[in-house]
């Protein structure tokens, strides 16, 4: 998707206090999910999100749950991003994308929709992730694979 198409896709969902939610999972061949390894996936996603947003590992706070699930927050004057990686829970669609990332811009120069559109473009360009983005009210914004009528 080119930048113009991304703008038309994300901008209508922007506004004060409105976040974008990214459901992310590992992509295997032909757009199918890859085998699940939570720890390896969480580490790779962390690195890729930090690279896409020009963050460093020490900029995030990490909480690990009793079952090994992890949550990481990046919170500064420019943005608020949280990444939660747990295990699939039995939903046919969402099990393909078990990580949840929330993105919000705090910058006066960059709208939240621009942050979300850029992050979507960068993650999809890697070719290693299945990504679904929905708005603060649950509307499907976009996905890089066919979600059919399941959303």
């Amino acid at each position: 998707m080119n930048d113009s198409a991304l703008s038309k896709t994300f901008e209508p969902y922007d506004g004060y206090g409105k976040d974008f939610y990214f459901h992310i999972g590992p992509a295997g061949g032909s757009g199918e999910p890859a085998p699940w390894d939570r720890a390896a996936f969480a580490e790779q996603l962390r690195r890729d999100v930090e690279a896409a947003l020009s963050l460093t590992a020490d900029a995030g706070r990490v909480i690990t749950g009793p079952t090994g699930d992890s949550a990481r927050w990046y919170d500064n004057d420019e943005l608020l991003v949280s990444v939660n990686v747990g295990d699939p829970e039995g939903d046919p669609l969402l099990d393909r994308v078990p990580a949840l990332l929330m993105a919000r811009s705090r910058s006066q120069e960059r709208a939240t929709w621009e942050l979300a559109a850029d992050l979507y473009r960068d993650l999809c360009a890697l070719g290693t992730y299945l990504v679904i983005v929905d708005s603060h009210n649950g509307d499907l914004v976009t996905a890089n694979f066919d979600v059919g009528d399941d959303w």
Side-chain angles (χ1 to χ4, degrees):
M1 192 179 294
N2 66 37
D3 287 345
S4 176
L6 281 173
S7 295
K8 290 177 184 173
T9 300
F10 281 84
E11 189 173 15
Y13 295 96
D14 194 43
Y16 177 77
K18 296 180 180 178
D19 304 326
F20 288 88
Y21 298 95
F22 291 67
H23 305 269
I24 306 168
S30 304
E32 292 301 313
W36 182 243
D37 178 337
R38 179 181 50 207
F41 178 77
E43 178 61 20
Q44 186 62 51
L45 181 59
R46 177 194 64 79
R47 281 189 253 133
D48 291 338
V49 168
E50 288 172 356
L53 298 175
S54 300
L55 298 167
T56 60
D58 62 346
R61 294 177 292 160
V62 180
I63 296 175
T64 302
T67 61
D69 55 324
S70 67
R72 182 174 291 270
W73 285 271
Y74 302 92
D75 186 0
N76 60 39
D77 291 341
E78 298 296 315
L79 56 80
L80 171 64
V81 173
S82 67
V83 182
N84 300 293
V85 180
D87 284 322
E89 297 180 356
D91 182 281
L93 176 61
L94 293 179
D95 280 359
R96 297 176 72 181
V97 288
L100 180 63
L101 181 152
M102 184 279 301
R104 179 186 308 155
S105 175
R106 291 182 167 166
S107 169
Q108 295 296 322
E109 290 80 40
R110 188 179 194 191
T112 295
W113 74 265
E114 292 171 309
L115 171 70
D118 290 347
L119 186 56
Y120 177 78
R121 180 197 60 229
D122 293 349
L123 291 175
C124 291
L126 296 170
T128 57
Y129 296 111
L130 299 175
V131 182
I132 299 172
V133 181
D134 67 317
S135 69
H136 67 286
N137 60 2
D139 291 336
L140 178 65
V141 175
T142 191
N144 68 346
F145 68 100
D146 182 13
V147 297
D149 296 330
D150 294 335
W151 198 253

